Amino acid sequence: MGSGGEFEFIIPLTLDALQEAPSTRQYAVSNISSVKELPKKLQECQSSFNKQGCSFVLEGHLFDALYSVLWHFKYLDANVRETAFNFMVKVMSKLTTSVASVLDDIASVSTSDRNQHLTVLKMTTFIVVQLTEAYENFHNKPSQDALLTTGKSRKRGAGGGKEESSAVWEDQRMRMLLQLCSVLHHPLHRLCNPPVMEEDYVNLVSNLCYKILETPSMGHNRCKGIRDSLFQIIGVLVNRYNHGLACSLKTMQLVQHFEHLASVCANGLALLVNQFGCINVIGDVVREIAKMDLGCLESSSKDSAAVRNYTQFLMELAELVPQALVPSLPLLFTFLDNDNFSLRNCMLSMMGSLVLRVLSSENLDDKKRDLRDNCLDSIEDHIMDVNAFVRSKVLNIIHDLVKGGGVPLSRQQRLLELTVGRLMDKSASVRKNAISLLTAFLKQNPFASKLPLEALKQQLKVEEDKLVELCPQPVAELEDTPSKVPTAHQLWQEKLDALIEAVKEVLDEDEDTEDYSEDQLSEECSLNDALSTIAQALDCNKLKRAAVLLSGALEAFHGATVLSYDPSTSVPLQSSNGEAVDELSPLQQQHVALLHRIFLSSHAMIDKENGSQDEPTDEKPKESEEVVKQKTLVNYLKDSVEFARLLQAGLPLVVQLLSSKLVSDVLEAIKFFITAFEFGVLDAMTGVREMLVLVWSREQQVQTAVVEAYRHLYITGAESGGNERTHAQHIVRNLTALTTGANLGELASLEEIIAQFMKSGDLSKACITLLWERFTLALPDTTAEESRAALTLLAMASNSEPSIVSSNIGVLVATAFGPRGEQDFSLVKEALVALAKIATSKPKTEDASPPFRLESDHEMFSRLSDLLVDGITRDEDRQYAPMAVQAVTTIYALSEHPDRICGSIIERLQEKMKMLRSDGDSADTSDEEVRLPTSVLKRFFILVGRTAICQLVHLDTYVFSELKRRNFLKEEHENAKKEKKKSKKKKDDRNKRKSGLTSATEVSLVRNNSQDGDLEEELGMMGAIADDMEAEYIRSVCDKEIVTGDNLLAAAVPLVVHVCSNTSRYPDRELRAAAALALSNCMMVSADCCEENLQLLFTILEKSEDSVIQGNIIIALGDLSFRFPNLVEPWTPRLYARLRADCCSVRHNALTVLTHLILNDMVKVKGQIADIALCITDNEPRISGLAKLFFTELARKANALYNVLPDIISRLSDLQADLEELKYRTVISHIFSLIQKDKQVEGLVEKLCHRLQASTAPRQWRDIAYCLSLLQYNERCVRKLAELFPCYGDKLHEPDVHKMFLGVLTKARKLVKPETKAVVEELEAKIEESHSKGMEEKGILDKALIAKGGKGAASKRSNVRVAKRKSLSSSSSESEEDMIYSDAEDAPKKDPEPEERVSQRSSTRRSAVAARASVVASESSEESDDAASIKSEVLSDHSRESSPELQKTSKARYVPRVGRSTRRR
């Protein structure tokens, strides 16, 4: 074609459409050059461009050459493509200049020249856009080489080249976009006639921008410049070329289909609003999104992603341009009622952003204020949303509003109350955000920096009294209400009850019952007159007349808008007491609702008419400025008190969350209590103390948070800007307050935190010095309590740095053991605790130097002895007993010869007790020689018992370790003399002798455990065997020379036993407790003493009514079980019996001891474990929680829980146990939840089916069927259940059993594979058939019983059933897996002497047991795969007490678990 204006260039929709022209004047490509010709053609284009400028494209062959580049783009060489692209960048740059010059003088340009310039613009822009799109497609698609290469070569080669070329292309693309943007900034529409730019041209450029945005890399940060350029181009198109509607529609499409564009488009639209003022685009986008039914787009994952993209887009848009979204926000209110929680979250987030950024100002007009209130109302309503994600989001939104000051003061208390209600939410995220919001409320509260509730209440009372003095009017009437006239709503509530009765009477009565002709509307009455008449009747309390008039108005003016009624939108009626009215019929509700509307409308019109008249006449006397200020102060204090009260109400809930299993709950609760403590909230110290125990948490995050919290509260937060000593005083004062009133657990936790402070250097030397000054009372105005607290803190700090105490022993002894100590035994105890910190906790057996010990004649021991002897008669100081216990402990920890010191003390006490024998205030002395004050005897027993146990520990650890250390040094000295060649061999031999054990008890236990092992185990225990001499010597000393024989402690034991045996003669509770504890300690030392007094100890346990004595004995029995397991084992049932004690503390102690014994394998798990299982239903939360924890830990030990589960089921389902069915199910459901292994489930299915076959009572059927319903069934379990159908088929006539088996099948149908469902269906058919048959038989038998009326028939039926059961039981005895055979060889080995004594004491019971015992010499034919290596032993209570002769003669014992009787003690 020709050049110039001889043709018209129409922008084609596709590239190939340009090759055909519908008319002769329309340009069409006529010659497409080949790939080889293109380099030369491009050179011609460049030379022509240099001569003619941008108009060179008008020459057809040159434009065709550029078109050929687009046509063959994917086949061109990279250099050719780059040459063409760079050339077009130059052309666009030149075009910008030429267009600018033409538009500057457009008036003088002819029409033909305009058309020529317009054609050049369109042709050049077309080539540029198409070339850029071709480049974009090329770089977005993987190359052929990248598709063919795999593995390492692909990673090294293809990846690196791709990234490099992409970076180059991004630079080139940016250059082109800048040139295109420069061209579009000119008023190009002036080239057109009429002056409107072609839509095809606008779409050509905009489609390029949208195409580039679709690239996944546009979401990266490095592409921010390109994104801004693209949206600047789009902004120009919207602003100049009417592209707004198309932009909004295209934006919606991009957001819907491309996940990375949600944030990109939001930022792009924000750019359009901020730089180009295109606010209408925001409105169009929101309007189009509101028209879509996004709630229905969740049918597929793709649609769900679209909803997610839209919600993210809208939320970011609200963050970026909230002002532009305000007019369009009401269009999205329907999102709040959508079932899709993400849409509700989106809408609520947008509301929160708008309120915080736009609607939080005080100078809002009425329209914006209403919008703000609506937003806040919606946010407040959704705190109680059904979806946890929405509740969590709402709390997060309110948190941002509170921090940004976007919540009005009038709403804060209501939001705070709702937040407190969410602290116990079932969702962890909701609880976390609720605590965080509570913390934010506290930090941002507008009232005061300190919020002590009691102080605020007192201040409020004072200010109210002042206000009453200033103004005699009651305080309640001094609020902002303008008058005492009741409101229309109040008047309506007063009339409502009577009005409801009137409406019922008018509508329910027959027409001729009462004549209402006088109350009918006249025929000429208008609608307004009718409404006025009804309103007047309501005001005059003529309620029946109003109801009759309304009925007439509904007939006369049917269809009037004023009288329309929609039940779905009407407000629910409430009576005067606030209760909803539900008993009205629809017609009655319509009448009441319309009367309500008429009444309120009438009063609103009256108030509006009187408003202008009331304003000028509102000239009540002005209040003085002082009264106004006082009113403001009172209102402020009222709000402060209410705010503090709500916070205090939430404190107990946050304290509970400190013990949560979730780390997020605990961390947020810690942050809250830090803030609450700083603001002085009442009872915040409770939470701070509860935080102490969290230092032992298993979670490192929690430990770190606790330490940091206390560091912030007590160390760094104590800085006051003074010198180092002032800072130290603040720290010491804070830590002293924390120790005051703390219990033992809190002090132990605080000790760990102090150790952390010492390691980090937070407690400086100035603090330690100040603590010593406080302890010695060198600091003025120091109280005795502060002195003791300082000593406690010093003891805690010495854990990390023992030199704090070791370098000041003289100060401690002089201060604490002097005159002050004589008057304050608690100070002596704290000093002893501090001194014990410097003792060697675990002696080293390979250390050349002996452990730190003080000489026996040290001043400390002499002073301490005097305190113990002289203070035994000081009854007024109740701290003697704990001081004496700590004194003996410290003496044995620090003295070189503690036995001599304690022996001397006991001798002196005995001498003093001889002097104190009198007939005064004494224990019961009839027929006895004991004539001592009760308090003295009690303290003496405590001292004797503690000395015995400390002597045991001293011999068992220190003496044994010292013997080993000396042997080690002796061997080292001998080996040093030998040759080097033999030294290595001797060293190996010596290492074999080393056992690493530092206790004689450990050696004995290891030796006993190794007796049943093989040769390799015995060789592995060579070190323990080598230490046998020392261990045997120490054990003999403990057995024969401490509490037995001829020594001081042995002389005191008969006195202890005498007091324990004669409780009636010694009624003092504390004396009996001390005697029982002393007896327990003495029994710990010697096996002979233990064996001799064990029966007495259990007698005290069973007969004593004192919970303290019982608790102490139970704990002592736990220790005795570790030390002498063979002696205590026969008495274990009596220990289990304490689980049924009346006292909670006794049950808790018994459960704790048994838990430790069983989990440490010191007690064999037997049938009594059912008693522990019953503790799950205990009313005490501590006991039930501990029982659940026990079974959880037991389940982790291989097959331990699986092996005892049949015993538990047998004992709990025993009819004689008479256990409530609900409690049974509670226990079993928890235990079965711990069975997770498939093989264990399979074994239980088989065992339970066999047990169900052997059971006799319907209650047992239900219990076992319930167990089966708790299991998780796989394919093998289902098949096993089907195979064992004969075992339970005859029980299915019981309704509950049938229902539970159907539940099993329902559960199995969901879990098994499709091929197994046929088995399930077949089994279901069998179950239904058996159930129907059983119900028919039951009906026939019932009829027969009724017909015969006979007791004989019933007995005959019973006999038939029993015979049938016996036959079934005998036929299936071989396959019965819940029958347990235990060899006599596996019975626990007991010491013969105590067993003989027990058998002599129970000879009568033994003969009865022997008569009933049955011996079966056989072994179990089948064992479960998991439990094959574990032999379970089930003994009834009678068989445990049988004689050893009976146990030796029987090789095997057969004990059926079903129907086994349980003897109750």
Side-chain angles (χ1 to χ4, degrees), residues 227-256:
R227 295 198 301 266
D228 292 345
S229 299
L230 291 173
F231 279 102
Q232 284 178 353
I233 294 174
I234 295 173
V236 173
L237 296 178
V238 173
N239 215 14
R240 292 175 179 264
Y241 305 112
N242 197 23
H243 185 61
L245 182 59
C247 174
S248 61
L249 294 176
K250 190 64 180 177
T251 301
M252 285 185 57
Q253 295 176 6
L254 292 175
V255 171
Q256 180 176 355

Side-chain angles (χ1 to χ4, degrees), residues 1093-1103 1113 1117 1128 1131-1132 1134-1135:
N1093 297 290
L1094 195 57
Q1095 183 179 6
L1096 173 60
L1097 195 65
F1098 274 99
T1099 302
I1100 299 173
L1101 175 63
E1102 292 185 358
K1103 292 187 176 182
I1113 293 178
L1117 287 172
V1128 182
W1131 300 88
T1132 307
R1134 297 176 182 268
L1135 189 56

Side-chain angles (χ1 to χ4, degrees), residues 1371-1414:
S1371 62
S1372 60
S1373 60
E1374 293 183 358
S1375 61
E1376 191 78 29
E1377 287 198 6
D1378 51 13
M1379 305 299 184
I1380 299 178
Y1381 304 87
S1382 59
D1383 294 335
E1385 297 175 357
D1386 295 333
K1389 295 180 174 57
K1390 307 179 181 65
D1391 292 342
E1393 294 181 2
E1395 287 185 356
E1396 289 175 2
R1397 290 191 178 97
V1398 171
S1399 63
Q1400 291 171 5
R1401 288 193 298 266
S1402 58
S1403 59
T1404 56
R1405 289 180 292 174
R1406 184 178 65 217
S1407 60
V1409 173
R1412 293 194 299 267
S1414 62

Side-chain angles (χ1 to χ4, degrees), residues 917-971:
R917 288 184 178 179
S918 63
D919 295 330
D921 180 20
S922 63
D924 190 353
T925 59
S926 59
D927 299 331
E928 297 295 336
E929 298 181 358
V930 181
R931 298 173 180 268
L932 287 172
T934 302
S935 60
V936 174
L937 191 57
K938 176 190 69 176
R939 292 177 175 183
F940 177 72
F941 284 165
I942 291 174
L943 195 64
V944 167
R946 190 61 185 177
T947 303
I949 201 70
C950 286
Q951 181 67 20
L952 169 63
V953 175
H954 177 69
L955 292 172
D956 203 44
T957 56
Y958 173 72
V959 174
F960 180 74
S961 299
E962 182 63 17
L963 290 174
K964 288 189 66 177
R965 189 186 70 84
R966 294 180 181 182
N967 291 335
F968 171 76
L969 293 178
K970 183 178 179 181
E971 291 179 2

Side-chain angles (χ1 to χ4, degrees), residues 508-633:
D508 293 347
E509 290 181 351
D510 298 332
E511 295 182 357
D512 33 324
T513 302
E514 188 173 346
D515 187 11
Y516 295 108
S517 58
E518 297 180 358
D519 298 330
Q520 300 295 331
L521 295 173
S522 63
E523 296 180 356
E524 299 177 357
C525 181
S526 64
L527 177 61
N528 290 334
D529 294 338
L531 297 177
S532 300
T533 306
I534 296 172
Q536 291 175 4
L538 290 173
D539 289 336
C540 298
N541 284 331
K542 297 180 179 181
L543 304 180
K544 288 186 180 180
R545 172 179 170 78
V548 173
L549 291 173
L550 178 61
S551 299
L554 288 173
E555 295 178 1
F557 307 103
H558 179 70
T561 306
V562 179
L563 300 176
S564 62
Y565 172 71
D566 185 3
S568 61
T569 59
S570 63
V571 180
L573 295 176
Q574 289 186 344
S575 61
S576 58
N577 56 7
E579 298 179 355
V581 179
D582 298 328
E583 65 273 8
L584 298 181
S585 65
L587 182 60
Q588 294 170 352
Q589 291 182 4
Q590 178 187 10
H591 276 67
V592 175
L594 292 178
L595 290 173
H596 183 210
R597 184 189 304 169
I598 294 170
F599 182 80
L600 294 182
S601 301
S602 173
H603 278 264
M605 294 178 64
I606 294 173
D607 293 341
K608 187 175 181 180
E609 292 174 358
N610 296 336
S612 58
Q613 300 176 1
D614 293 341
E615 289 178 1
T617 59
D618 190 13
E619 296 180 355
K620 57 183 180 181
K622 291 186 177 180
E623 296 175 341
S624 63
E625 183 178 356
E626 186 178 1
V627 173
V628 173
K629 288 182 179 180
Q630 193 66 20
K631 283 184 179 180
T632 305
L633 179 58

Side-chain angles (χ1 to χ4, degrees), residues 194 303 325 400 529 840 1039 1234 1249 1379 1435:
D303 294 335
L325 268 178
D400 295 338
D529 294 338
T840 305
D1039 287 341
L1234 304 174
C1249 288
M1379 305 299 184
L1435 301 174

Side-chain angles (χ1 to χ4, degrees), residues 737-785:
L738 187 60
T739 58
T740 303
N743 56 34
L744 291 177
E746 292 170 351
L747 289 175
S749 304
L750 180 60
E751 188 172 359
E752 178 65 19
I753 294 176
I754 294 293
Q756 297 289 336
F757 290 164
M758 292 296 297
K759 290 179 181 178
S760 60
D762 292 317
L763 285 180
S764 61
K765 292 183 178 179
C767 294
I768 302 300
T769 303
L770 191 62
L771 288 172
W772 280 112
E773 292 178 2
R774 278 200 166 200
F775 165 61
T776 58
L777 300 180
L779 197 67
D781 300 328
T782 301
T783 63
E785 186 177 359

